[in-house]
Coordinates of all heavy atoms in Angstrom, one line a residue:
M1 N 23.7 -2.6 -28.5 CA 23.1 -2.7 -29.8 C 22.9 -4.2 -30.2 O 23.9 -5.0 -30.1 CB 23.9 -2.0 -30.8 CG 23.4 -2.1 -32.2 SD 24.5 -1.3 -33.4 CE 24.4 -2.4 -34.8
K2 N 21.8 -4.6 -30.5 CA 21.5 -6.0 -30.8 C 21.9 -6.3 -32.3 O 21.7 -5.4 -33.2 CB 20.1 -6.3 -30.7 CG 19.7 -6.6 -29.2 CD 18.2 -6.9 -29.1 CE 17.8 -7.0 -27.7 NZ 16.3 -7.2 -27.6
T3 N 22.5 -7.4 -32.5 CA 22.8 -7.8 -33.9 C 21.5 -8.4 -34.5 O 20.6 -8.9 -33.8 CB 23.9 -8.8 -33.9 OG1 23.5 -9.9 -33.1 CG2 25.2 -8.3 -33.5
S4 N 21.4 -8.2 -35.7 CA 20.1 -8.7 -36.4 C 20.3 -10.1 -37.0 O 19.5 -10.6 -37.8 CB 19.7 -7.7 -37.5 OG 20.8 -7.6 -38.4
T5 N 21.3 -10.8 -36.5 CA 21.6 -12.1 -37.1 C 20.6 -13.1 -36.6 O 20.5 -14.2 -37.1 CB 23.0 -12.6 -36.7 OG1 23.2 -12.3 -35.3 CG2 24.1 -12.0 -37.5
I6 N 19.8 -12.8 -35.5 CA 18.8 -13.7 -35.0 C 17.6 -13.8 -35.9 O 17.0 -14.9 -36.0 CB 18.4 -13.3 -33.6 CG1 19.6 -13.3 -32.6 CG2 17.3 -14.2 -33.0 CD1 19.4 -12.6 -31.3
Q7 N 17.4 -12.8 -36.7 CA 16.4 -12.9 -37.7 C 16.5 -14.1 -38.5 O 17.5 -14.4 -39.1 CB 16.5 -11.7 -38.6 CG 15.7 -10.5 -38.1 CD 15.7 -9.3 -39.2 OE1 16.4 -9.4 -40.2 NE2 15.0 -8.3 -38.9
H8 N 15.4 -14.8 -38.6 CA 15.4 -16.1 -39.4 C 15.3 -15.9 -40.9 O 15.3 -16.8 -41.6 CB 14.3 -17.0 -38.9 CG 14.6 -17.6 -37.5 ND1 15.6 -18.5 -37.4 CD2 14.1 -17.3 -36.3 CE1 15.6 -18.8 -36.1 NE2 14.8 -18.1 -35.4
G9 N 15.2 -14.6 -41.3 CA 15.2 -14.3 -42.7 C 14.0 -14.9 -43.4 O 14.1 -15.4 -44.5
N10 N 12.9 -14.9 -42.7 CA 11.7 -15.5 -43.2 C 11.3 -14.8 -44.5 O 10.9 -15.5 -45.5 CB 10.6 -15.4 -42.2 CG 9.8 -16.7 -42.2 OD1 9.6 -17.4 -43.2 ND2 9.3 -17.1 -41.0
K11 N 11.4 -13.5 -44.5 CA 11.1 -12.8 -45.8 C 12.0 -13.2 -46.9 O 11.5 -13.4 -48.0 CB 11.1 -11.3 -45.5 CG 9.8 -10.8 -45.0 CD 9.9 -9.3 -44.8 CE 8.7 -8.8 -44.0 NZ 8.9 -7.5 -43.3
F12 N 13.3 -13.2 -46.6 CA 14.2 -13.6 -47.6 C 14.0 -15.0 -48.1 O 14.0 -15.3 -49.3 CB 15.7 -13.5 -47.1 CG 16.7 -13.9 -48.1 CD1 17.0 -13.1 -49.2 CD2 17.3 -15.2 -48.0 CE1 17.9 -13.5 -50.2 CE2 18.2 -15.6 -49.0 CZ 18.5 -14.7 -50.1
S13 N 13.7 -15.9 -47.1 CA 13.4 -17.3 -47.4 C 12.2 -17.5 -48.3 O 12.3 -18.2 -49.3 CB 13.3 -18.1 -46.2 OG 14.5 -18.2 -45.5
S14 N 11.2 -16.7 -48.0 CA 10.0 -16.9 -48.9 C 10.2 -16.3 -50.3 O 9.7 -16.8 -51.2 CB 8.7 -16.3 -48.2 OG 9.0 -15.2 -47.6
F15 N 11.1 -15.3 -50.3 CA 11.5 -14.7 -51.6 C 12.3 -15.8 -52.4 O 12.0 -16.1 -53.5 CB 12.4 -13.5 -51.4 CG 12.9 -12.9 -52.6 CD1 12.1 -12.3 -53.5 CD2 14.3 -13.0 -52.9 CE1 12.6 -11.8 -54.7 CE2 14.8 -12.5 -54.0 CZ 14.0 -11.8 -55.0
F16 N 13.2 -16.5 -51.7 CA 13.9 -17.5 -52.2 C 13.0 -18.7 -52.7 O 13.2 -19.2 -53.8 CB 14.9 -18.1 -51.1 CG 15.8 -19.2 -51.6 CD1 17.0 -18.8 -52.1 CD2 15.5 -20.5 -51.5 CE1 17.9 -19.8 -52.6 CE2 16.3 -21.5 -51.9 CZ 17.6 -21.1 -52.4
C17 N 12.0 -19.0 -51.9 CA 11.1 -20.0 -52.3 C 10.3 -19.6 -53.5 O 9.9 -20.5 -54.3 CB 10.2 -20.3 -51.1 SG 11.0 -21.2 -49.8
N18 N 9.9 -18.3 -53.5 CA 9.2 -17.9 -54.7 C 10.0 -18.0 -56.0 O 9.4 -18.4 -57.0 CB 8.8 -16.4 -54.5 CG 7.6 -16.2 -53.6 OD1 6.8 -17.1 -53.5 ND2 7.5 -15.1 -53.0
L19 N 11.2 -17.8 -55.9 CA 12.1 -18.0 -57.0 C 12.4 -19.4 -57.4 O 12.3 -19.8 -58.6 CB 13.4 -17.3 -56.8 CG 13.5 -15.8 -57.0 CD1 14.9 -15.3 -56.7 CD2 13.1 -15.4 -58.4
F20 N 12.7 -20.2 -56.4 CA 13.2 -21.5 -56.7 C 12.3 -22.6 -56.3 O 12.5 -23.8 -56.5 CB 14.6 -21.7 -56.0 CG 15.6 -20.7 -56.4 CD1 16.0 -19.7 -55.6 CD2 16.2 -20.8 -57.7 CE1 17.0 -18.8 -56.0 CE2 17.1 -19.9 -58.1 CZ 17.5 -18.9 -57.3
G21 N 11.2 -22.3 -55.6 CA 10.3 -23.3 -55.1 C 10.6 -23.7 -53.7 O 11.8 -23.6 -53.3
H22 N 9.7 -24.3 -53.0 CA 9.9 -24.7 -51.7 C 10.7 -26.0 -51.6 O 10.7 -26.8 -52.6 CB 8.6 -25.0 -51.0 CG 7.7 -23.7 -50.8 ND1 8.0 -22.7 -50.0 CD2 6.6 -23.4 -51.5 CE1 7.1 -21.8 -50.1 NE2 6.2 -22.1 -51.0
H23 N 11.4 -26.1 -50.6 CA 12.2 -27.4 -50.4 C 11.5 -28.1 -49.2 O 11.8 -28.0 -48.1 CB 13.6 -27.0 -50.0 CG 14.5 -28.2 -49.9 ND1 15.9 -28.2 -49.7 CD2 14.2 -29.6 -49.9 CE1 16.4 -29.4 -49.6 NE2 15.4 -30.2 -49.7
Y24 N 10.6 -29.0 -49.6 CA 9.8 -29.7 -48.6 C 10.5 -31.0 -48.1 O 11.0 -31.7 -48.9 CB 8.4 -30.0 -49.1 CG 7.5 -28.9 -49.4 CD1 7.0 -28.6 -50.6 CD2 7.2 -28.0 -48.3 CE1 6.2 -27.5 -50.9 CE2 6.4 -26.9 -48.6 CZ 5.9 -26.7 -49.8 OH 5.0 -25.6 -50.1
V25 N 10.4 -31.2 -46.8 CA 10.8 -32.4 -46.2 C 9.6 -33.0 -45.5 O 8.8 -32.2 -45.0 CB 12.0 -32.3 -45.3 CG1 13.3 -32.0 -46.1 CG2 11.8 -31.3 -44.2
V26 N 9.5 -34.3 -45.4 CA 8.4 -34.9 -44.7 C 8.5 -34.6 -43.2 O 9.5 -34.9 -42.6 CB 8.4 -36.4 -44.9 CG1 7.2 -37.1 -44.1 CG2 8.2 -36.7 -46.4
S27 N 7.4 -34.0 -42.7 CA 7.4 -33.7 -41.2 C 6.6 -34.7 -40.5 O 6.8 -34.9 -39.3 CB 7.0 -32.3 -41.0 OG 5.6 -32.1 -41.4
K28 N 5.7 -35.3 -41.2 CA 4.8 -36.3 -40.5 C 4.2 -37.3 -41.5 O 3.7 -36.8 -42.6 CB 3.7 -35.6 -39.7 CG 2.9 -36.5 -38.9 CD 1.9 -35.6 -38.2 CE 0.7 -36.4 -37.6 NZ -0.3 -35.5 -37.0
K29 N 4.3 -38.5 -41.2 CA 3.6 -39.5 -42.1 C 2.2 -39.8 -41.6 O 2.1 -40.3 -40.4 CB 4.5 -40.8 -42.1 CG 4.2 -41.6 -43.4 CD 5.1 -42.8 -43.4 CE 4.6 -43.8 -44.5 NZ 5.3 -45.1 -44.4
V30 N 1.2 -39.5 -42.3 CA -0.1 -39.7 -41.9 C -0.6 -41.1 -42.2 O -1.0 -41.9 -41.4 CB -1.1 -38.6 -42.4 CG1 -2.5 -38.8 -41.9 CG2 -0.6 -37.2 -42.1
T31 N -0.7 -41.3 -43.5 CA -1.0 -42.7 -44.0 C 0.1 -43.1 -45.0 O 1.0 -42.3 -45.3 CB -2.4 -42.8 -44.6 OG1 -2.3 -42.1 -45.9 CG2 -3.4 -42.1 -43.7
K32 N -0.2 -44.2 -45.7 CA 0.7 -44.6 -46.7 C 0.9 -43.6 -47.8 O 1.9 -43.4 -48.4 CB 0.2 -45.9 -47.3 CG 1.3 -46.8 -47.9 CD 0.6 -48.1 -48.4 CE 1.6 -49.0 -49.1 NZ 1.0 -50.2 -49.6
H33 N -0.2 -42.9 -48.1 CA -0.2 -41.9 -49.2 C -0.2 -40.5 -48.8 O 0.0 -39.6 -49.6 CB -1.5 -42.2 -50.1 CG -1.6 -43.6 -50.6 ND1 -0.7 -44.1 -51.5 CD2 -2.4 -44.6 -50.2 CE1 -1.0 -45.4 -51.7 NE2 -2.0 -45.7 -51.0
I34 N -0.6 -40.2 -47.6 CA -0.7 -38.9 -47.1 C 0.4 -38.5 -46.1 O 0.6 -39.2 -45.1 CB -2.1 -38.6 -46.5 CG1 -3.2 -38.8 -47.6 CG2 -2.2 -37.2 -46.0 CD1 -4.6 -38.7 -47.1
K35 N 1.1 -37.4 -46.4 CA 2.1 -37.0 -45.6 C 2.0 -35.5 -45.4 O 1.5 -34.8 -46.2 CB 3.5 -37.3 -46.2 CG 3.8 -38.8 -46.3 CD 5.2 -39.0 -46.9 CE 5.5 -40.5 -47.1 NZ 4.9 -40.9 -48.4
E36 N 2.6 -35.0 -44.3 CA 2.7 -33.6 -44.1 C 4.2 -33.2 -44.4 O 5.1 -33.9 -44.0 CB 2.4 -33.2 -42.6 CG 0.9 -33.4 -42.4 CD 0.5 -33.1 -40.9 OE1 1.4 -32.7 -40.1 OE2 -0.6 -33.4 -40.6
Y37 N 4.3 -32.1 -45.0 CA 5.7 -31.6 -45.4 C 5.9 -30.2 -44.8 O 5.0 -29.4 -44.6 CB 5.8 -31.5 -46.9 CG 5.6 -32.8 -47.6 CD1 4.3 -33.2 -48.0 CD2 6.6 -33.6 -47.9 CE1 4.1 -34.3 -48.7 CE2 6.4 -34.8 -48.6 CZ 5.1 -35.1 -49.0 OH 4.9 -36.3 -49.7
K38 N 7.2 -29.9 -44.6 CA 7.6 -28.6 -44.1 C 8.7 -28.1 -45.0 O 9.6 -28.9 -45.3 CB 8.0 -28.7 -42.7 CG 8.1 -27.4 -42.0 CD 8.8 -27.6 -40.6 CE 8.0 -26.9 -39.5 NZ 8.6 -27.2 -38.2
C39 N 8.6 -26.8 -45.4 CA 9.7 -26.3 -46.2 C 10.9 -25.9 -45.3 O 10.7 -25.2 -44.2 CB 9.2 -25.0 -46.9 SG 10.5 -24.2 -47.8
V40 N 12.1 -26.4 -45.6 CA 13.2 -26.1 -44.8 C 13.6 -24.6 -44.8 O 14.4 -24.2 -43.9 CB 14.4 -27.0 -45.2 CG1 14.1 -28.5 -44.9 CG2 14.8 -26.8 -46.6
H41 N 13.2 -23.9 -45.8 CA 13.6 -22.5 -45.9 C 12.6 -21.6 -45.2 O 13.0 -20.7 -44.4 CB 13.7 -22.1 -47.3 CG 14.7 -22.9 -48.1 ND1 16.1 -22.8 -47.8 CD2 14.6 -23.7 -49.2 CE1 16.7 -23.6 -48.6 NE2 15.9 -24.2 -49.4
C42 N 11.3 -21.7 -45.4 CA 10.4 -20.7 -44.9 C 9.4 -21.4 -43.9 O 8.5 -20.7 -43.4 CB 9.6 -20.1 -46.0 SG 8.5 -21.2 -46.9
Q43 N 9.6 -22.7 -43.6 CA 8.8 -23.4 -42.6 C 7.3 -23.5 -43.0 O 6.5 -23.8 -42.2 CB 8.8 -22.7 -41.2 CG 10.2 -22.4 -40.7 CD 11.1 -23.6 -40.6 OE1 10.7 -24.5 -39.9 NE2 12.3 -23.6 -41.2
K44 N 7.0 -23.2 -44.3 CA 5.6 -23.4 -44.7 C 5.3 -24.9 -44.7 O 6.0 -25.7 -45.0 CB 5.5 -22.9 -46.1 CG 4.1 -23.0 -46.7 CD 4.1 -22.6 -48.2 CE 2.9 -23.0 -48.9 NZ 1.8 -22.1 -48.7
Q45 N 4.1 -25.1 -44.2 CA 3.6 -26.5 -44.0 C 2.5 -26.8 -45.0 O 1.6 -26.1 -45.2 CB 3.1 -26.8 -42.6 CG 4.3 -26.9 -41.6 CD 3.8 -27.2 -40.3 OE1 3.2 -26.5 -39.6 NE2 4.1 -28.5 -39.8
V46 N 2.7 -28.0 -45.7 CA 1.7 -28.4 -46.6 C 1.4 -29.9 -46.4 O 2.1 -30.6 -45.6 CB 2.1 -28.3 -48.1 CG1 2.2 -26.8 -48.5 CG2 3.4 -29.0 -48.4
T47 N 0.3 -30.4 -47.0 CA 0.0 -31.8 -46.8 C -0.6 -32.3 -48.1 O -1.1 -31.6 -48.9 CB -1.1 -31.9 -45.6 OG1 -1.3 -33.3 -45.5 CG2 -2.4 -31.2 -45.9
T48 N -0.5 -33.6 -48.2 CA -1.2 -34.2 -49.4 C -2.7 -34.3 -49.1 O -3.1 -34.7 -48.0 CB -0.7 -35.7 -49.5 OG1 0.6 -35.8 -49.1 CG2 -0.8 -36.1 -51.0
D49 N -3.5 -33.8 -50.0 CA -4.9 -33.9 -49.8 C -5.5 -35.1 -50.5 O -4.7 -35.9 -51.0 CB -5.6 -32.6 -50.3 CG -5.5 -32.4 -51.8 OD1 -5.2 -33.3 -52.5 OD2 -5.8 -31.2 -52.2
V50 N -6.8 -35.3 -50.4 CA -7.4 -36.5 -50.9 C -7.2 -36.8 -52.4 O -7.2 -37.9 -52.8 CB -8.9 -36.5 -50.6 CG1 -9.2 -36.9 -49.2 CG2 -9.6 -35.2 -51.0
S51 N -6.9 -35.7 -53.1 CA -6.7 -35.9 -54.6 C -5.2 -36.1 -54.9 O -4.8 -36.2 -56.0 CB -7.3 -34.7 -55.3 OG -6.7 -33.5 -54.9
G52 N -4.4 -36.1 -53.8 CA -3.0 -36.4 -54.0 C -2.2 -35.2 -54.3 O -1.0 -35.3 -54.6
K53 N -2.8 -34.0 -54.2 CA -2.0 -32.8 -54.5 C -1.6 -32.2 -53.1 O -2.2 -32.5 -52.1 CB -2.9 -31.8 -55.2 CG -3.1 -32.2 -56.7 CD -4.0 -31.2 -57.3 CE -4.4 -31.6 -58.8 NZ -5.6 -31.0 -59.3
L54 N -0.6 -31.3 -53.3 CA -0.2 -30.6 -52.0 C -1.1 -29.4 -51.8 O -1.3 -28.6 -52.7 CB 1.3 -30.2 -52.2 CG 2.3 -31.3 -52.1 CD1 3.7 -30.7 -52.3 CD2 2.2 -32.1 -50.9
S55 N -1.5 -29.3 -50.6 CA -2.3 -28.1 -50.3 C -1.8 -27.6 -48.9 O -1.2 -28.3 -48.1 CB -3.8 -28.3 -50.3 OG -4.1 -29.4 -49.5
E56 N -2.1 -26.3 -48.6 CA -1.6 -25.7 -47.4 C -2.2 -26.4 -46.2 O -3.3 -26.8 -46.1 CB -2.0 -24.3 -47.4 CG -1.2 -23.4 -46.5 CD -1.4 -21.9 -46.7 OE1 -1.6 -21.6 -47.9 OE2 -1.3 -21.2 -45.8
L57 N -1.3 -26.6 -45.2 CA -1.7 -27.3 -44.0 C -2.5 -26.3 -43.0 O -1.9 -25.7 -42.2 CB -0.5 -27.9 -43.3 CG -0.8 -28.8 -42.1 CD1 -1.6 -30.1 -42.5 CD2 0.5 -29.2 -41.4
T58 N -3.8 -26.3 -43.2 CA -4.6 -25.5 -42.3 C -4.9 -26.3 -41.1 O -4.8 -27.5 -41.1 CB -5.9 -25.1 -43.1 OG1 -6.6 -26.3 -43.4 CG2 -5.6 -24.2 -44.3
P59 N -5.4 -25.6 -40.0 CA -5.8 -26.3 -38.8 C -6.9 -27.4 -39.1 O -6.9 -28.5 -38.5 CB -6.4 -25.2 -37.9 CG -5.7 -24.0 -38.3 CD -5.5 -24.1 -39.8
Q60 N -7.8 -27.1 -40.1 CA -8.8 -28.1 -40.5 C -8.1 -29.3 -41.1 O -8.5 -30.4 -40.8 CB -9.8 -27.5 -41.5 CG -10.7 -26.5 -40.9 CD -10.3 -25.1 -41.1 OE1 -9.1 -24.7 -41.0 NE2 -11.2 -24.2 -41.5
M61 N -7.2 -29.0 -42.0 CA -6.4 -30.1 -42.7 C -5.7 -31.0 -41.6 O -5.6 -32.2 -41.7 CB -5.4 -29.6 -43.7 CG -6.1 -29.0 -44.9 SD -7.0 -30.2 -45.9 CE -5.7 -30.8 -46.9
Q62 N -5.1 -30.3 -40.7 CA -4.4 -31.0 -39.6 C -5.3 -31.9 -38.8 O -4.9 -33.0 -38.5 CB -3.8 -29.9 -38.7 CG -2.4 -30.4 -38.1 CD -1.6 -29.2 -37.7 OE1 -2.1 -28.0 -37.6 NE2 -0.3 -29.4 -37.6
E63 N -6.5 -31.4 -38.6 CA -7.5 -32.2 -37.9 C -7.9 -33.4 -38.7 O -8.0 -34.5 -38.1 CB -8.7 -31.3 -37.6 CG -9.4 -31.7 -36.3 CD -10.3 -30.6 -35.8 OE1 -9.7 -29.5 -35.4 OE2 -11.5 -30.7 -35.9
I64 N -8.1 -33.2 -40.0 CA -8.4 -34.3 -40.9 C -7.3 -35.4 -40.8 O -7.5 -36.6 -40.7 CB -8.7 -33.8 -42.3 CG1 -10.0 -33.0 -42.3 CG2 -8.8 -35.0 -43.3 CD1 -10.2 -32.2 -43.6
N65 N -6.1 -34.9 -40.9 CA -4.9 -35.8 -40.9 C -4.8 -36.6 -39.6 O -4.5 -37.7 -39.6 CB -3.6 -35.0 -41.1 CG -3.4 -34.6 -42.6 OD1 -4.2 -35.0 -43.5 ND2 -2.4 -33.8 -42.9
N66 N -5.1 -35.9 -38.5 CA -5.0 -36.6 -37.2 C -6.1 -37.7 -37.2 O -5.8 -38.8 -36.7 CB -5.3 -35.6 -36.1 CG -4.1 -34.7 -35.8 OD1 -3.0 -35.0 -36.2 ND2 -4.3 -33.6 -35.2
T67 N -7.3 -37.4 -37.7 CA -8.3 -38.5 -37.8 C -7.9 -39.6 -38.7 O -8.0 -40.8 -38.3 CB -9.6 -37.8 -38.3 OG1 -9.9 -36.6 -37.6 CG2 -10.8 -38.8 -38.1
L68 N -7.4 -39.2 -39.9 CA -6.9 -40.2 -40.8 C -5.8 -41.1 -40.2 O -5.8 -42.3 -40.3 CB -6.4 -39.6 -42.1 CG -7.4 -39.0 -43.1 CD1 -6.7 -38.3 -44.2 CD2 -8.2 -40.2 -43.7
E69 N -4.9 -40.4 -39.5 CA -3.8 -41.1 -38.9 C -4.3 -42.1 -37.9 O -3.8 -43.3 -37.8 CB -2.8 -40.1 -38.3 CG -1.5 -40.8 -37.8 CD -0.7 -39.8 -37.0 OE1 -1.2 -38.8 -36.5 OE2 0.5 -40.0 -36.9
D70 N -5.2 -41.7 -37.1 CA -5.8 -42.5 -36.1 C -6.5 -43.8 -36.7 O -6.3 -44.9 -36.3 CB -6.9 -41.7 -35.3 CG -7.1 -42.2 -33.9 OD1 -6.1 -42.6 -33.3 OD2 -8.3 -42.3 -33.6
M71 N -7.3 -43.5 -37.8 CA -7.9 -44.6 -38.4 C -6.9 -45.6 -39.1 O -7.0 -46.8 -39.0 CB -8.8 -44.1 -39.6 CG -10.2 -43.5 -39.0 SD -11.0 -42.4 -40.2 CE -11.0 -43.5 -41.7
Y72 N -5.9 -45.0 -39.6 CA -4.8 -45.8 -40.3 C -4.1 -46.7 -39.3 O -3.9 -47.8 -39.6 CB -3.9 -44.8 -41.0 CG -2.8 -45.5 -41.8 CD1 -3.1 -46.2 -43.0 CD2 -1.5 -45.4 -41.4 CE1 -2.2 -46.8 -43.8 CE2 -0.5 -46.0 -42.2 CZ -0.8 -46.7 -43.4 OH 0.1 -47.2 -44.1
Q73 N -3.8 -46.1 -38.2 CA -3.1 -46.8 -37.2 C -3.9 -48.0 -36.7 O -3.4 -49.1 -36.5 CB -2.7 -46.0 -36.0 CG -1.9 -44.7 -36.3 CD -0.4 -45.1 -36.6 OE1 0.1 -46.1 -36.2 NE2 0.3 -44.2 -37.2
K74 N -5.2 -47.7 -36.4 CA -6.1 -48.8 -35.9 C -6.3 -49.9 -36.9 O -6.2 -51.0 -36.6 CB -7.5 -48.1 -35.6 CG -7.5 -47.5 -34.2 CD -8.9 -46.9 -34.0 CE -8.8 -46.0 -32.7 NZ -9.9 -45.0 -32.7
R75 N -6.5 -49.5 -38.2 CA -6.6 -50.4 -39.2 C -5.4 -51.3 -39.4 O -5.5 -52.5 -39.6 CB -7.0 -49.7 -40.6 CG -7.8 -50.6 -41.5 CD -8.0 -50.0 -42.8 NE -8.8 -48.7 -42.7 CZ -9.0 -47.9 -43.7 NH1 -8.4 -48.1 -44.9 NH2 -9.6 -46.8 -43.5
R76 N -4.2 -50.7 -39.3 CA -3.0 -51.4 -39.5 C -2.8 -52.4 -38.3 O -2.3 -53.5 -38.5 CB -1.8 -50.4 -39.5 CG -1.3 -50.2 -40.9 CD 0.1 -50.0 -41.0 NE 0.6 -49.1 -39.9 CZ 1.8 -48.5 -39.9 NH1 2.5 -48.6 -41.0 NH2 2.2 -47.8 -38.9
S77 N -3.2 -52.0 -37.1 CA -2.9 -52.8 -36.0 C -3.8 -54.0 -36.0 O -3.5 -55.0 -35.4 CB -3.1 -52.0 -34.7 OG -4.4 -51.6 -34.6
R78 N -4.9 -53.9 -36.7 CA -5.8 -55.1 -36.9 C -5.4 -56.0 -38.0 O -5.9 -57.1 -38.1 CB -7.3 -54.6 -37.1 CG -8.1 -54.8 -35.9 CD -9.6 -54.6 -36.2 NE -9.9 -53.1 -36.0 CZ -10.9 -52.5 -36.6 NH1 -11.6 -53.1 -37.6 NH2 -11.1 -51.2 -36.3
V79 N -4.5 -55.5 -38.8 CA -4.0 -56.3 -40.0 C -5.1 -56.8 -40.8 O -5.1 -58.0 -41.2 CB -3.0 -57.4 -39.5 CG1 -2.1 -57.8 -40.7 CG2 -2.1 -56.9 -38.4
V80 N -6.1 -56.0 -41.1 CA -7.1 -56.4 -42.1 C -6.8 -55.6 -43.3 O -7.0 -54.4 -43.4 CB -8.5 -56.0 -41.5 CG1 -9.6 -56.4 -42.6 CG2 -8.8 -56.7 -40.2
Q81 N -6.4 -56.3 -44.3 CA -6.1 -55.6 -45.6 C -7.1 -56.0 -46.7 O -7.1 -57.2 -47.1 CB -4.7 -55.9 -46.0 CG -3.7 -55.1 -45.1 CD -2.3 -55.2 -45.6 OE1 -2.0 -56.2 -46.3 NE2 -1.5 -54.3 -45.3
S82 N -7.9 -55.1 -47.1 CA -8.8 -55.4 -48.2 C -8.1 -55.1 -49.5 O -7.5 -54.0 -49.6 CB -10.1 -54.7 -48.0 OG -9.8 -53.3 -48.0
V83 N -8.2 -55.9 -50.5 CA -7.6 -55.6 -51.7 C -8.6 -54.9 -52.6 O -9.6 -55.4 -53.1 CB -7.2 -56.9 -52.5 CG1 -6.5 -56.6 -53.8 CG2 -6.3 -57.8 -51.6
A84 N -8.3 -53.6 -52.7 CA -9.2 -52.7 -53.5 C -9.0 -52.8 -54.9 O -7.9 -52.8 -55.4 CB -9.1 -51.3 -53.0
Ligands
ZN101 ZN1 9.6 -22.4 -48.7

């Protein structure tokens, strides 16, 4: 008989998150302003979108972030800073 302790309690965790809100930690820094976050309880992933709000990290968003990260890294390595 297998014990059910291996269950990650995803359902319980999302229930917990529904009650108390997600506990996001930064999982990836994309740019200075855009980061990806992961909930430590239910593993839900979100990202900062262009308007500065958190939205779900869809494959499309992930792709955008990868592009942004790439651009950001290149720009940084060139050390060209325009004062906006
Ligand atoms: Zn959560």
Side-chain angles (χ1 to χ4, degrees):
M1 182 184 140
K2 282 181 185 172
T3 54
S4 56
T5 45
I6 297 167
Q7 271 187 355
H8 287 288
N10 223 325
K11 272 180 191 160
F12 178 75
S13 291
S14 39
F15 176 69
F16 183 88
C17 288
N18 280 336
L19 278 180
F20 301 107
H22 298 287
H23 183 175
Y24 292 122
V25 291
V26 176
S27 61
K28 183 177 164 185
K29 200 178 169 191
V30 181
T31 72
K32 204 174 175 183
H33 304 290
I34 298 175
K35 294 182 186 83
E36 290 176 9
Y37 301 87
K38 196 190 226 176
C39 177
V40 293
H41 298 299
C42 67
Q43 311 299 308
K44 182 187 164 78
Q45 286 183 290
V46 292
T47 184
T48 328
D49 65 16
V50 280
S51 55
K53 288 176 186 162
L54 289 181
S55 53
E56 204 165 327
L57 186 66
T58 58
Q60 286 99 316
M61 291 296 273
Q62 211 153 19
E63 211 161 289
I64 293 169
N65 281 356
N66 286 340
T67 311
L68 283 174
E69 188 187 20
D70 203 44
M71 281 163 51
Y72 185 67
Q73 302 284 342
K74 275 178 194 158
R75 206 183 298 172
R76 256 211 326 197
S77 62
R78 251 190 271 152
V79 201
V80 179
Q81 285 186 335
S82 58
V83 184

